[in-house]
């Protein structure tokens, strides 16, 4: 049976006749008793072991990975284009070019036994363009005894040293075996790969035939083959991941700094404009949803002339290419349209309840006004998460590119001249691919789960500290305690760090496990629904749909129980499961009193978080629309993923800061209910300023009944 919370955290009398224990409390200068014990130690040890494993896992990625592999292809030596650590140094040579048009043409047939990756490609600075005056050549990297050029000289000569070749080398080149290959077709830089166009250069072809060059095939297959390779699902996913690395300044500004400023502004305004903030939040939410939706329409090409283009650098304005990225933006625009409609209808639906939300927010605003450190405190978990996210995102890029570069085994005619051996080599001439082993997939899954757990842990730690500070304020009649040597927030941090880190670790672990399991089961559930629709299995369809709602309900229940358990941990210092039982019993006994007050307040707070995150997404769109990310070296394939990441980061940051209001409300409500239970329906510790809004709700409920 629960004891009196007033006895647990109430202020002790400091009389001259105080006993030894009271003197000890006076010396420590705290309002909460120090008879606590370290709780959930096994889970604390497990959390420390998890951190060690996460560091080792990330170290593997940093050691094996190379983020350039995500956006740039491999050349005929297995080097990543643009890699300065390769041999030779390819810094600044980030564009992949297939040198033999016949091989590209051959790989485009459906019955071909070879893939485009099997054929010879080379890394260049820009895609070569045929000349009308003289036949241009693209030659192998300079090496061997015959070609004495440096890489800089090779680039300065536009990759052409055909005039330096011996007669045998020239003969081999005319047979399209290298080491030099003619530039017969114009090409454009499409996401760091040269895509051929069908408009061949007649002047170059005529000079090629005059020199006795081998017959060259052309046609629509030539340009479609490269485009198919660039537009494959795996290539698109890799580019999406690479976009995160290229847009890291956008993530820092729009995913970190802007939500920080907006969250602090919201907390500051809630103290001075409580009555107006609910209406401002709802109106601003609708405006931001509409604006972000219009940006999706703009980038998808449905309105305006600012649609994304996969072409990098200068090109013929009449030449247009569209890829999967634009299709994904079309889907996102449709989805945002649906979200916009639901948002506007929801805003209309809750308009009549906004007055109630105003009264609820007054409770938190008065607490924040009394304990001013609450506004500043979220900066600490924010800084911890910012450091963790920067390292985690970097480790993610390296983990996803940590495969092993291996030479393919192919049946293609890939013979090519080798400058070192001075002969045509038909063995081990296939291209290279990146091979991913199963343990890399497990490492990525563990890495993602680590992100879930650490994020939930920091949020739980922050909520518990805030709850301890607010509870101290409530159970001391809201007085400013002269005996406290430090602010309540620092006392709450000290108690939590000393006694209940393991409790927070197990609570955040449960939430992380449920959320990650739900994410893993969703794709499986979608496949089952597709099968059931094709087979007209109504029972299977019903089970699939009901399982979705069941998982969502379980996830919501666990989050709610954990949230209130953190409050009880801060108040009582009990273990996680004991605090969960206490919180559940208290809520069960006061569900009618808590329900209406809590729900509408949480809706307004959720809309406030969405306002901050939507503003982050809007600023991300604006930053990504600059020249640096549209046509320069750091061009992103699509703004979709960076915008979504900024949206998510903005929501996480807003959650940390809005927890000041959310946890304050919940802590006051739980303390109020417990205070009322202990004193038979009347509260002894609630101040008149806090008592008035809560009693107004009880009177409103009685009037409605």
């Amino acid at each position: 049976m629960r004891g009196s919370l007033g006895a647990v955290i109430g202020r002790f009398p400091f009389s001259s006749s105080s006993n030894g224990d009271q003197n000890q409390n006076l010396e420590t200068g705290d309002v909460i008793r120090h008879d606590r014990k370290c709780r959930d130690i096994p889970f604390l040890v497990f959390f420390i072991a998890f951190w060690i494993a996460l560091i080792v896992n990330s170290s593997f990625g940093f050691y094996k990975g190379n983020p350039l592999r995500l956006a740039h292809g491999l050349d005929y030596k297995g080097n990543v284009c643009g890699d300065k650590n390769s041999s030779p140094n390819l810094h600044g040579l980030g564009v992949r070019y297939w040198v033999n048009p016949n091989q590209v043409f051959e790989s485009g047939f459906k019955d071909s036994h070879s893939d485009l990756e099997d054929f010879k490609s080379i890394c260049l600075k820009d895609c070569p363009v045929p000349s009308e005056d003289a036949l241009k050549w693209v030659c192998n990297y300079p090496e061997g005894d015959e070609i004495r050029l440096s890489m800089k000289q090779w680039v300065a000569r536009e990759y052409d040293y055909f005039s330096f070749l011996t007669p045998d080398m020239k003969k081999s080149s005319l047979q399209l075996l290298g080491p030099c290959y003619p530039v017969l077709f114009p090409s454009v830089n499409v996401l760091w790969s040269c895509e051929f166009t069908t408009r061949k250069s007649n002047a170059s072809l005529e000079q090629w035939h005059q020199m006795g060059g081998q017959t060259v095939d052309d046609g629509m297959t030539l340009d479609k083959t490269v485009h198919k390779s660039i537009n494959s699902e795996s290539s698109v996913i890799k580019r999406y991941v690479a976009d995160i690395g290229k847009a890291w300044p956008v993530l820092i500004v729009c995913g970190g700094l802007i939500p920080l400023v907006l969250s602090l502004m919201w907390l500051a305004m809630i103290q001075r404009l409580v009555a107006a903030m609910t209406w401002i939040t709802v109106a601003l939410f609708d405006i931001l949803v509409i604006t972000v939706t219009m940006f999706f329409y703009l980038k998808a090409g449905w309105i305006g002339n600012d649609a994304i283009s996969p072409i990098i650098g200068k090109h013929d304005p009449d030449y247009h290419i569209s890829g999967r990225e634009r299709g994904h933006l079309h889907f996102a625009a449709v989805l945002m349209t649906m979200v916009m409609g639901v948002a506007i209808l929801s805003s209309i639906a809750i308009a009549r309840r906004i007055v109630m939300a105003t009264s609820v927010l007054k409770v938190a605003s008065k607490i924040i006004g009394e304990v001013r450190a609450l506004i500043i405190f979220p900066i600490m978990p924010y800084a911890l998460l910012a450091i963790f996210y920067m390292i985690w995102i970097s480790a993610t890029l390296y983990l996803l590119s940590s495969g092993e570069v291996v030479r393919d085994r192919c049946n293609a005619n890939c013979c090519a001249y080798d400058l070192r051996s001075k002969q045509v080599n038909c063995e081990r001439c296939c291209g290279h691919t990146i091979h991913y082993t199963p343990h890399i997939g497990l490492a990525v899954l563990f890495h993602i789960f680590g992100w879930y757990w650490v994020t939930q842990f920091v949020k739980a730690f922050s909520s518990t500290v805030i709850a301890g500070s607010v509870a101290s304020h409530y159970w001391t009649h809201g007085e400013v305690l002269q005996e406290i040597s430090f602010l309540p927030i620092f006392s709450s941090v000290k108690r939590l760090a000393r006694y209940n880190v393991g409790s927070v670790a197990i609570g955040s672990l449960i939430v992380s496990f449920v959320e990650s399991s739900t994410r893993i089961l969703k794709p499986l559930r979608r496949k089952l629904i597709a099968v059931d629709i094709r087979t007209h299995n109504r029972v299977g369809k019903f089970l699939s749909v009901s399982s979705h709602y069941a998982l969502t309900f379980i996830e919501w229940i666990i989050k709610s129980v954990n949230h209130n358990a953190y409050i009880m941990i801060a108040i009582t210092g009990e273990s996680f499961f004991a605090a969960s039982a206490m919180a559940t019993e208290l809520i069960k006994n006061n569900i009618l009193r808590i329900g209406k007050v809590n729900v509408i307040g949480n809706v307004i707070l959720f809309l406030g978080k969405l306002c901050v995150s939507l503003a982050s997404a809007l600023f991300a769109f604006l930053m990504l629309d600059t020249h640096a990310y549209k046509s320069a070296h750091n061009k992103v394939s699509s703004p979709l993923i960076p915008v979504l990441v900024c949206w998510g980061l903005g929501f996480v940051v807003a959650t940390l800061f809005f927890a000041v209001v959310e946890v304050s409300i919940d802590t006051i409500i739980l303390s109020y209910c417990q205070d009322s239970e202990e004193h038979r329906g009347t509260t002894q510790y609630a101040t008149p300023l806090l008592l008035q809004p809560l009693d107004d709700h009880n009177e409103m409920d009685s009037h409605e009944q």
Side-chain angles (χ1 to χ4, degrees), residues 84-131:
K84 63 181 180 181
N85 297 319
S86 62
S87 180
N89 185 353
L90 298 178
H91 180 65
L93 306 176
V95 183
R96 188 183 189 186
Y97 175 73
W98 281 270
V99 293
N100 191 335
N102 278 357
Q103 291 179 343
V104 175
F105 184 81
E106 178 185 345
S107 63
F109 292 108
K110 294 182 178 180
D111 57 350
S112 176
H113 299 289
S114 58
D115 188 73
L116 185 62
E117 302 295 329
D118 296 330
F119 294 118
K120 188 171 184 176
S121 61
I122 196 169
C123 300
L124 307 176
K125 187 176 182 180
D126 295 300
C127 293
V129 179
S131 173

Side-chain angles (χ1 to χ4, degrees), residues 328-624:
H328 295 162
L329 282 174
H330 290 164
F331 175 79
V334 173
L335 184 61
M336 283 300 301
T337 303
M338 298 171 61
V339 171
M340 180 179 64
V342 173
I344 295 175
L345 294 177
S346 301
S347 301
I348 297 174
I350 67 172
R352 298 179 60 184
R353 296 290 183 178
I354 287 182
V355 176
M356 183 184 299
T358 302
S359 300
V360 176
L361 292 177
K362 286 181 180 179
V363 179
S365 66
K366 298 184 190 312
I367 292 292
I368 296 172
E370 293 289 338
V371 188
R372 297 188 181 277
L374 286 175
I375 299 181
I376 304 174
F377 166 72
I379 295 179
M380 185 183 76
Y382 165 83
L384 294 176
L385 268 188
I387 295 172
F388 171 75
Y389 278 6
M390 286 189 288
I391 299 175
W392 186 87
I393 291 175
S394 299
T396 302
L397 297 177
Y398 278 89
L399 272 175
L400 293 175
S401 60
S402 59
E404 183 180 359
V405 177
V406 297
R407 186 180 291 275
D408 294 336
R409 295 181 179 180
C410 62
N411 297 322
N413 181 16
C414 61
C415 299
Y417 193 93
D418 187 357
L419 287 172
R420 292 188 180 275
S421 62
K422 301 180 182 180
Q423 62 181 0
V424 176
N425 178 25
C426 293
E427 297 180 359
R428 295 180 55 82
C429 60
C430 295
H432 296 77
T433 56
I434 301 175
H435 177 66
Y436 294 94
T437 55
H439 75 272
I440 295 178
L442 295 176
V444 171
L445 290 177
F446 177 77
H447 192 67
I448 295 174
F449 178 78
W451 170 77
Y452 269 112
W453 193 1
V454 172
T455 301
Q456 294 298 331
F457 176 83
V458 174
K459 290 164 62 177
F461 189 95
S462 177
S463 298
T464 309
V465 170
I466 294 171
S469 304
V470 175
S472 300
H473 182 274
Y474 180 92
W475 292 96
T476 54
H477 299 279
E479 298 176 7
V480 179
L481 303 177
Q482 302 297 329
E483 294 86 357
I484 300 180
S485 56
F486 300 98
L487 293 173
I489 200 77
F490 297 121
S491 300
S492 184
V493 171
K494 183 178 68 174
R495 288 192 301 271
L496 178 58
R498 183 173 179 181
Y499 299 109
N500 289 105
V501 175
S503 304
V504 175
I506 180 58
S508 56
L509 173 62
I510 293 174
V511 174
S512 302
F513 180 77
V514 172
E515 283 194 357
S516 57
S517 300
T518 304
R519 302 295 188 274
I520 294 174
L521 292 175
K522 277 184 178 180
L524 178 61
R525 188 184 63 83
R526 284 195 293 265
K527 291 182 180 180
L528 291 176
I529 291 177
V531 173
D532 295 334
I533 292 176
R534 289 196 300 267
T535 59
H536 303 287
N537 187 347
R538 295 183 178 180
V539 176
K541 183 179 180 180
F542 171 77
L543 292 176
S544 299
V545 174
S546 60
S547 64
H548 166 68
Y549 289 106
L551 287 173
T552 304
F553 180 72
I554 292 173
E555 183 179 348
W556 179 82
I557 288 293
I558 289 177
K559 283 185 175 181
S560 178
V561 171
N562 280 18
H563 178 74
N564 293 290
Y566 298 144
I567 296 175
M568 299 309 295
I569 288 172
I571 295 175
T572 65
E574 294 292 334
S575 65
F576 172 79
F577 295 104
S580 298
M582 295 174 64
T584 303
E585 182 183 353
L586 191 61
I587 293 173
K588 181 182 67 176
N589 295 338
N590 297 272
I591 187 66
L592 295 179
R593 178 180 294 181
I594 293 176
K596 185 181 293 186
V597 175
N598 224 8
V599 169
I600 192 65
N602 287 340
V603 169
I604 296 299
L605 291 174
F606 181 70
L607 292 181
K609 298 174 190 177
L610 287 179
C611 285
V612 173
S613 58
L614 283 169
S616 301
L618 179 60
F619 279 103
F621 266 122
L622 295 175
M623 280 194 69
L624 292 170

Side-chain angles (χ1 to χ4, degrees), residues 68 72 82 91-94 192 246 312 627-636:
L68 286 175
H72 300 270
H91 180 65
L93 306 176
W192 309 108
K246 293 180 179 180
I312 301 174
H627 174 77
Y629 301 105
K630 293 181 66 175
S631 58
H633 177 73
N634 287 328
K635 175 184 172 66
V636 296

Side-chain angles (χ1 to χ4, degrees), residues 62-287:
F62 284 119
Y63 178 72
K64 290 286 188 179
N66 184 357
L68 286 175
R69 297 173 182 173
L70 299 172
H72 300 270
L74 303 176
D75 65 3
Y76 67 95
K77 289 180 173 290
N79 298 320
V80 182
C81 292
D83 188 2
K84 63 181 180 181
N85 297 319
S86 62
S87 180
N89 185 353
L90 298 178
H91 180 65
L93 306 176
V95 183
R96 188 183 189 186
Y97 175 73
W98 281 270
V99 293
N100 191 335
N102 278 357
Q103 291 179 343
V104 175
F105 184 81
E106 178 185 345
S107 63
F109 292 108
K110 294 182 178 180
D111 57 350
S112 176
H113 299 289
S114 58
D115 188 73
L116 185 62
E117 302 295 329
D118 296 330
F119 294 118
K120 188 171 184 176
S121 61
I122 196 169
C123 300
L124 307 176
K125 187 176 182 180
D126 295 300
C127 293
V129 179
S131 173
E132 298 295 330
D133 300 328
L135 182 61
K136 286 187 175 182
W137 300 83
V138 172
C139 303
N140 293 353
Y141 304 131
E143 58 183 350
D145 298 332
E146 300 293 339
I147 308 300
R148 299 183 178 276
L149 292 174
S150 65
M151 289 293 292
K152 289 184 178 180
Q153 292 172 332
W154 176 69
V155 174
R157 295 179 60 88
E158 296 184 349
Y159 329 111
D160 184 358
Y161 52 75
F162 182 79
S163 60
F164 296 168
L165 300 183
T166 64
D168 291 338
M169 292 181 183
K170 290 183 178 180
K171 181 179 179 181
S172 175
S173 298
L174 292 175
Q175 296 174 357
L176 292 178
L177 297 176
C180 293
Y181 300 84
V183 180
L184 303 176
F185 295 89
S187 57
V188 293
N189 184 354
V190 178
L191 298 173
W192 309 108
S193 293
C194 292
E195 181 172 319
F196 293 103
T197 65
T198 56
R199 298 189 297 273
K200 58 181 178 294
S201 173
N202 294 324
S204 297
L205 274 176
E206 183 178 353
Q207 295 180 43
W208 170 253
H209 291 313
Q210 290 177 356
M211 296 176 65
Q214 184 178 345
T215 303
V216 176
D217 298 314
D218 60 353
M220 291 298 293
T221 308
L222 192 63
D223 63 322
K224 289 183 178 179
T225 302
V226 179
H227 186 72
K228 181 180 178 182
S229 175
I230 298 173
N231 211 33
S232 64
E233 290 185 6
S234 60
S235 298
V236 173
I237 293 174
K238 288 180 180 179
R239 286 197 297 270
Y240 277 157
V241 177
D243 289 343
I244 299 176
K246 293 180 179 180
W248 66 265
V250 179
L251 303 186
I252 292 176
V253 174
C254 301
L257 299 180
I258 288 178
L260 169 64
V261 174
L262 294 179
S263 298
L264 288 174
M265 289 176 58
W266 197 91
L267 289 179
M269 293 176 66
I270 199 68
Q271 297 183 67
R272 297 168 174 81
L273 301 172
V274 179
M277 276 305 296
T278 51
W279 294 100
I280 293 174
T281 300
V282 173
L284 188 61
F285 170 68
D286 292 335
I287 294 172

Side-chain angles (χ1 to χ4, degrees), residues 274-341:
V274 179
M277 276 305 296
T278 51
W279 294 100
I280 293 174
T281 300
V282 173
L284 188 61
F285 170 68
D286 292 335
I287 294 172
L288 287 172
V289 167
I290 295 173
T291 305
V292 172
T293 303
M294 292 301 102
F295 265 95
F296 275 108
Y297 273 77
L298 187 66
K299 294 302 176 182
W302 286 349
I303 59 175
N305 299 315
D306 197 24
I308 62 170
S309 173
I311 302 177
I312 301 174
K314 297 180 179 180
H315 63 281
D316 187 348
D318 296 329
Y319 188 74
H320 300 284
I321 301 176
S322 180
R324 288 179 182 267
E325 288 85 354
R326 186 177 293 188
H328 295 162
L329 282 174
H330 290 164
F331 175 79
V334 173
L335 184 61
M336 283 300 301
T337 303
M338 298 171 61
V339 171
M340 180 179 64

